[in-house]
Amino acid sequence: MQADGPALVILPPPDESSQRTIKRSRVLSYVLVALAAVVFSLRPDLFGDPQAQPWHALLHVWRIVLGIVLALAALGVQVLVGVQWRRGLRQTGEAPGNRTPADR
């Protein structure tokens, strides 16, 4: 008996241009994650005395929002580069296992 699960598809390694793009996207993602960590680690007293500044709470909210946006941007960069690379494989026909049976 044979299982009707998805077939295992092995992707070819990226070419030199794709490797450079992947490396740059990883560096950009690391920088974005590092910036998010710095933003998240800002101490509350850095913004001043909360009793003297009514905007103190708003600064905390923006710190959290900015950190989340930077972390999501890092994830978005990786997803975008991965999608573009897979789309390139489909267009060049390097990975026939990734095409649907109707496209073969």
Side-chain angles (χ1 to χ4, degrees):
M1 298 196 149
Q2 187 176 10
D4 290 339
L8 178 64
V9 177
I10 298 175
L11 296 175
D15 60 355
E16 288 184 34
S17 174
S18 295
Q19 285 179 353
R20 283 192 304 273
T21 302
I22 291 169
K23 185 175 181 178
R24 288 178 187 151
S25 72
R26 285 181 182 164
V27 169
L28 178 60
S29 292
Y30 291 145
V31 169
L32 289 171
V33 168
L35 283 174
V38 167
V39 168
F40 278 133
S41 69
L42 293 176
R43 295 187 329 249
D45 59 343
L46 183 67
F47 298 120
D49 182 24
Q51 304 300 328
Q53 295 180 350
W55 293 96
H56 190 79
L58 186 61
L59 289 172
H60 284 298
V61 172
W62 281 108
R63 175 179 64 102
I64 293 168
V65 169
L66 181 61
I68 291 171
V69 166
L70 287 170
L72 289 176
L75 177 64
V77 166
Q78 291 300 304
V79 170
L80 182 68
V81 168
V83 167
Q84 287 177 347
W85 179 63
R86 298 262 317 203
R87 187 177 298 142
L89 287 178
R90 288 185 186 137
Q91 288 175 353
T92 60
E94 288 184 34
N98 290 335
R99 294 184 294 182
T100 61
D103 292 340
R104 292 181 190 157

